Amino acid sequence: MRTRVATSAAWLTLVLSLPAAAQDAAGALEAARAEMAGARFAEAAARLDAAAAAPDGLDRPALVTLLRLRALARHALRDADAARADLVALLSLEPGATLGAEAPPSLTRALEEARASSGPGLRVDAEASRSAGGFTVSSRASGDPAGLVRRLRVLALREDTVEPHEGARVEIAGEGTLRYVVEAIGPGGAVLATAGTPSAPRELRAEPARVAAPRAASEEGGDDTALIVGIGAGAAAVIAGVAIALAILLAVPDTRVLPPGCEGCP
Amino acid sequence: MRRPGLALLAVLALGCEPRELTWSYRLDPALRGVAESLELGFVRDGCTGERDLTITVPTLGGAPSAELPTLAPGVWGFEVTAHTRASGRTPIGRGCEAVELPTSEPFVVVVAPLGATPDAGVGPGDAAP
């Protein structure tokens, strides 16, 4: 428990150490909103472009707001392709997104058309394995038709620190149990999707000590070695075939998990 | 001779088809009207095992942000963590139900406030998953 408390404190330190750009981003969104209210769509779009291009300052909800606003601005500027790109990006973050009453019907139609051809939302998958001197974490983002993901960040949660690494495949020195979180980082430094969370990180646990399997005793072949080997190979092939058929027949099926229902939700 | 072969192929194909699992979650009354988003966690070997996948539900009662997984047979923990926008990454409620797959029995995960769990007194972000 002490480790979790210490790591949470380290996490908090990491989050608080982010620059004050978050406030700048919030200000940029408000300013863009005001510009759009004054029909200054080009200025609003440029301001939103700058916020998206910044290395940090946005979180996921702010990016969703930015994409909504920019789609509206680009639509008003009659840049249909760019507006559609924002809608596709928006749906990859929020498959159930809507534009609200402020959107013109033609843009709402474009959103529904994009939704009809959109796949599952953006997600990140990761797998850790042991390697010489530590661990290898391989990560992959999927469901990103708009190319929102700029980079993949792996956070190794040490006892007292959070150790950041970057890349789709990272090497992390250490031994014992690896606790880690993988983040897909997008425009403005927004965390788009994670594998694991700070409170429930993914873990590659220390392997229990294994007893080495006894080595097969060497056998000496006689004069009829070839015959015995041939018969043995044939028998092995038949047994393998029967075993495969039985395995398929007796296989326990996988389970496809459906979205959960909510009892008592409004 | 050909028909039994086709029948066998059909049986094999059906045997490999994934089953669909229906489930739901129920928020403790103390969390209703408070929780705004959820995280769905799928934990290998039960509720104390390795969390294999996390998927967010941005809006309570809404659609998950990604397709839910197809899980291999075995015991899996279905974990639901509740958040508010104000709480950010810190959960305010959690529930987990260990289920042996495959099963077609629907089940409910009850999400309790973290302060009311055996982890009371510990910061919510520090509670054991």
Side-chain angles (χ1 to χ4, degrees):
Chain A
M1 183 59 73
R2 196 185 78 77
T3 301
R4 285 181 183 273
V5 172
T7 305
S8 295
W11 189 277
L12 189 61
T13 304
L14 183 77
V15 170
L16 291 178
S17 68
L18 291 174
Q23 288 185 345
D24 295 345
L29 293 179
E30 281 312 305
R33 210 186 292 273
E35 284 165 342
M36 290 173 65
R40 287 177 287 140
F41 299 109
E43 289 94 325
R47 189 182 296 278
L48 296 171
D49 285 345
D56 48 40
L58 292 179
D59 59 10
R60 201 176 195 276
L63 178 60
V64 166
T65 301
L66 184 151
L67 291 169
R68 266 202 191 95
L69 286 175
R70 197 167 63 178
L72 284 164
R74 286 173 162 178
H75 179 78
L77 293 168
R78 300 187 185 285
D79 189 347
D81 289 343
R84 180 180 160 76
D86 281 339
L87 296 179
V88 170
L90 175 64
L91 290 171
S92 71
L93 292 178
E94 289 198 2
T98 56
L99 293 176
E102 58 189 338
S106 54
L107 189 61
T108 302
R109 273 199 304 276
L111 175 71
E112 295 310 320
E113 286 169 11
R115 196 195 313 278
S117 58
S118 67
L122 195 153
R123 62 181 280 180
V124 59
D125 293 298
E127 188 175 14
S129 59
R130 294 180 185 281
S131 59
F135 310 91
T136 301
V137 177
S138 301
S139 312
R140 190 174 70 89
S142 59
D144 184 22
L148 279 180
V149 176
R150 303 281 190 268
R151 53 200 167 94
L152 292 166
R153 180 165 66 190
V154 181
L155 300 167
L157 309 187
R158 305 292 194 185
E159 187 163 342
D160 296 318
T161 58
V162 176
E163 183 183 296
H165 299 260
E166 285 212 0
R169 181 183 169 88
V170 301
E171 301 289 336
I172 299 173
E175 56 186 15
T177 296
L178 171 67
R179 298 168 62 237
Y180 67 100
V181 174
V182 180
E183 298 178 328
I185 310 291
V191 176
L192 307 177
T194 70
T197 64
S199 56
R202 300 196 63 174
E203 287 188 357
L204 181 62
R205 293 186 177 169
E207 284 180 334
R210 286 183 181 169
V211 178
R215 297 184 63 178
S218 60
E219 296 176 1
E220 291 186 4
D223 291 339
D224 52 357
T225 299
L227 178 62
I228 292 172
V229 168
I231 293 173
V238 171
I239 290 170
V242 171
I244 289 170
L246 277 176
I248 294 174
L249 276 173
L250 299 176
V252 183
D254 289 345
T255 301
R256 182 181 300 128
V257 181
L258 299 177
C262 175
E263 293 191 5
C265 281
Chain B
M1 187 64 193
R2 197 174 164 186
R3 285 176 185 240
L6 288 174
L8 178 61
L9 279 176
V11 169
L12 293 180
L14 283 174
C16 298
E17 189 70 18
R19 293 183 187 174
E20 291 191 337
L21 176 64
T22 304
W23 62 299
S24 57
Y25 57 88
R26 184 191 308 135
L27 295 180
D28 183 278
L31 296 173
R32 291 182 191 167
V34 179
E36 294 175 303
S37 64
L38 300 173
E39 272 184 10
L40 309 178
F42 301 92
V43 188
R44 201 181 291 272
D45 298 330
C47 290
T48 56
E50 178 184 353
R51 192 189 260 220
D52 200 63
L53 179 66
T54 301
I55 292 175
T56 58
V57 180
T59 309
L60 199 66
S65 61
E67 190 176 353
L68 299 195
T70 297
L71 301 178
V75 176
W76 286 85
F78 287 71
E79 187 181 56
V80 179
T81 311
H83 299 258
T84 65
R85 288 195 181 84
S87 72
R89 291 179 167 133
T90 304
I92 59 166
R94 181 175 291 146
C96 188
E97 189 75 23
V99 176
E100 181 159 11
L101 301 180
T103 180
S104 51
E105 283 295 314
F107 62 92
V108 179
V109 178
V110 177
V111 184
L114 275 174
T117 67
D119 294 308
V122 178
D126 303 318

